[in-house]
Amino acid sequence: MNRTYNAFDTAKKQFDKIADILDLDTANREFLREPVREFHFSIPVRMDNGKVQVFKGFRVQHNDALGPAKGGIRFHPMETIDTVKASAMWMTWKCSIVDIPLGGAKGGIICDPHNLSLREQERLCRGWVRQMARNIGPLLDIPAPDVMTTGQHMLWMLDEYEVIYGGKYPGAITGKPVGMGGSLGRIEATGYGLIFTVREALREMNIRLEETTASVQGFGNVAQHAIELYNKLGGKVISVSCWDQESSEPRTYRKLSGIDLQELRNITDSFGGIDRNKAIKLGYEDLPGDYWINQDVEILIPAALENSITEENASKISNKVKLIAEGANGPTSSEADKIIQEKGIFLIPDFLANAGGVTCSYFEQVQSNSNYFWSKEEVLSKRDNKMTDAFISVSDLAKKMDLYTRDAAYILAVDRVAKACSNRGWT
Ligand code: NAD
């Protein structure tokens, strides 16, 4: 990760460009450029050795004009408030683009769960909720899992919230385990949703998905499920990259005949780290972490972290690449965007490509609030409809106004939120 990169600067730059295109009025421009609320707090946690360690936590609510704020909680040792602010803003656009009645938020804790026992993680989750309980809830702001947080973390958080309020509030948090208020289809939601948009984009380009190959950055929740559906539809992934805990650097594992998803899953930890030695034994080429980007494939899927496609490495993208589907949030820098455009690559922007997760979170909230749960088929088909509709509206606008797809998506999303703020009389 480039330490000088600031995700919030990128998010604001993207917003400014769209505000200019939309000729947005000054009040909306000022209001939407910054979060509406921002929380910074310290979480004291009694560690297993009896000592207290203090962790830094954040929650940012960027905008809630369309409905209660919604967004994940990230556990990351290099978490910064600006990454959280950028992610919260992207959540606002994401909920807007798929046309669900929710706003944008994001939270985080500076920590490395690899170094925490399960009991310490539980105390950390409960501590985060104790700090935020007054400002989250089914009608205010609904957290969910994100980088290095799981359904178990969400359940501990919900339990703490319910202890504080003395009632059952399953709609207060999403991403809960199935059977404990979670929705069927949530685990695969983001990865599957991404492939729905890939399927639609390839259809528009008259490319048969079964004849394509892909290279993926990341091997966590989003990447694994994207690969699962892409494989089911007939596509072949030739390389994946992930963080290697032992060497503290990313690695890329390649098999030109196609990676075997299950085989790799069997040697992957719960944080999406593939066991390097076992991968080599299974016949995977062990390559430097950034090699995922220069593979001769039709599709690139950055599904790990922000700022992965930069001015420095975008020129390494093979001429064979036709499509980039952004699974991660903010994986492409503004400079890299220009190179991608020049290369004529079709881009499915992050807040559209990875909106399957929040769409399913919204379905989970609806089900939790009404205490009535749908079948997996119902969830999947409702999500497919939402993602496909959103993709088509973005792609139609891009064609009509001859726009880069990221700009078209932004125009639709920002316009909806700005109108909601004005209609409420806020701006
Ligand atoms: P995850 O923690 O399950 O997986 C992250 C993966 O990225 C792991 O395989 C990790 O090894 C890998 N990784 C970390 N640093 C890397 C590096 N420098 N190079 C290559 N690989 C690296 O996370 P996830 O839930 O799959 O989320 C991935 C991205 O998608 C994040 O940007 C997240 O914000 C975004 N996202 C996730 C969801 C969701 O539902 N999980 C929804 C929308 C967006």
Side-chain angles (χ1 to χ4, degrees):
M1 203 190 305
N2 176 355
R3 278 163 194 271
T4 58
Y5 167 76
N6 184 311
F8 193 45
D9 286 344
T10 302
K12 283 192 291 191
K13 247 190 236 172
Q14 292 168 342
F15 170 73
D16 288 343
K17 182 177 172 193
I18 301 311
D20 286 343
I21 299 177
L22 280 171
D23 198 17
L24 212 59
D25 59 277
T26 315
N28 264 317
R29 206 180 268 254
E30 219 176 289
F31 189 57
L32 294 174
R33 205 169 184 272
E34 293 287 335
V36 67
R37 279 177 290 276
E38 190 176 318
F39 304 89
H40 298 231
F41 42 91
S42 298
I43 309 169
V45 173
R46 176 83 52 194
M47 306 301 278
D48 292 347
N49 63 9
K51 293 190 177 145
V52 171
Q53 192 175 328
V54 180
F55 294 85
K56 183 110 199 81
F58 308 110
R59 185 69 174 172
V60 172
Q61 294 160 355
H62 172 259
N63 188 280
D64 52 7
L66 289 172
K70 182 94 194 77
I73 299 175
R74 301 155 44 104
F75 282 180
H76 202 283
M78 282 160 71
E79 188 63 288
T80 68
I81 184 61
D82 278 355
T83 311
V84 180
K85 279 160 83 166
S87 310
M89 193 194 261
W90 286 323
M91 281 305 293
T92 302
W93 313 140
K94 194 182 297 190
C95 293
S96 172
I97 198 67
V98 279
D99 204 11
I100 54 179
L102 296 170
K106 197 64 98 179
I109 301 179
I110 303 176
C111 70
D112 188 345
H114 290 98
N115 304 329
L116 300 172
S117 72
L118 280 179
R119 291 283 76 85
E120 288 166 343
Q121 292 179 42
E122 176 178 351
R123 291 193 282 268
L124 188 56
C125 288
R126 292 184 185 276
W128 190 94
V129 171
R130 282 200 293 276
Q131 297 300 326
M132 278 305 299
R134 281 165 220 84
N135 297 288
I136 56 171
L139 305 177
L140 277 180
D141 176 7
I142 307 123
D146 205 300
V147 173
M148 290 206 268
T149 48
T150 62
Q152 176 62 74
H153 293 124
M154 295 307 110
L155 197 52
W156 286 325
M157 288 187 168
L158 178 69
D159 188 70
E160 189 66 22
Y161 184 87
E162 293 182 338
V163 167
I164 291 170
Y165 285 100
K168 296 294 171 197
Y169 298 92
I173 287 179
T174 63
K176 307 177 292 293
V178 171
M180 291 303 300
S183 174
L184 292 168
R186 174 62 184 89
I187 292 174
E188 55 272 74
T190 307
Y192 274 34
L194 179 125
I195 297 303
F196 294 146
T197 63
V198 164
R199 179 196 66 201
E200 294 305 309
L202 291 174
R203 191 175 283 162
E204 281 208 356
M205 288 187 277
N206 280 323
I207 298 173
R208 285 168 57 80
L209 190 148
E210 310 86 289
E211 288 166 9
T212 61
T213 50
S215 174
V216 181
Q217 187 195 34
F219 198 64
N221 176 287
V222 178
Q224 288 186 32
H225 290 102
I227 296 170
E228 186 176 286
L229 184 59
Y230 177 66
N231 281 347
K232 268 189 204 161
L233 297 177
K236 183 168 86 177
V237 173
I238 63 154
S239 55
V240 294
S241 72
C242 68
W243 188 254
D244 181 53
Q245 191 65 11
E246 232 175 80
S247 58
S248 290
E249 58 171 9
R251 303 299 304 169
T252 298
Y253 301 104
R254 182 172 74 175
K255 202 175 247 183
L256 290 172
S257 57
I259 66 144
D260 181 328
L261 178 63
Q262 195 47 51
E263 176 180 86
L264 282 183
R265 273 178 162 161
N266 292 344
I267 57 164
T268 298
D269 65 25
S270 60
F271 300 106
I274 297 170
D275 186 313
R276 189 172 175 184
N277 292 327
K278 288 184 181 158
I280 295 168
K281 273 197 195 126
L282 286 167
Y284 288 85
E285 289 174 80
D286 172 28
L287 304 167
D290 55 358
Y291 271 40
W292 72 277
I293 204 169
N294 51 17
Q295 299 304 312
D296 269 331
V297 289
E298 284 78 19
I299 304 169
L300 290 178
I301 302 180
L305 69 176
E306 64 279 353
N307 200 37
S308 304
I309 308 182
T310 61
E311 191 171 18
E312 290 76 46
N313 64 17
S315 51
K316 293 185 191 156
I317 296 175
S318 154
N319 287 335
K320 199 174 165 190
V321 172
K322 301 280 180 299
L323 174 64
I324 298 177
E326 295 181 329
N329 289 317
T332 308
S333 73
S334 319
E335 294 75 25
D337 254 342
K338 289 185 197 124
I339 300 171
I340 291 169
Q341 251 180 298
E342 278 160 20
K343 281 175 171 278
I345 298 171
F346 192 108
L347 178 114
I348 312 178
D350 49 4
F351 65 100
L352 170 61
N354 66 31
V358 76
T359 305
C360 194
S361 285
Y362 164 56
F363 294 157
E364 177 178 334
Q365 227 231 337
V366 172
Q367 296 170 79
S368 290
N369 288 340
S370 60
N371 216 0
Y372 174 74
F373 289 83
W374 311 337
S375 70
K376 188 168 179 177
E377 291 66 40
E378 190 169 355
V379 175
L380 287 177
S381 85
K382 280 190 162 83
R383 186 169 57 230
D384 194 347
N385 290 343
K386 273 267 171 222
M387 297 294 295
T388 303
D389 286 353
F391 177 87
I392 291 171
S393 28
V394 169
S395 155
D396 283 354
L397 184 71
K399 275 187 269 175
K400 196 167 121 199
M401 290 176 64
D402 192 21
L403 290 166
Y404 186 42
T405 39
R406 192 189 305 285
D407 295 343
Y410 260 110
I411 286 173
L412 280 174
V414 173
D415 189 47
R416 263 182 205 148
V417 178
K419 280 191 177 126
C421 293
S422 299
N423 290 342
R424 281 177 181 272
W426 291 357
T427 49

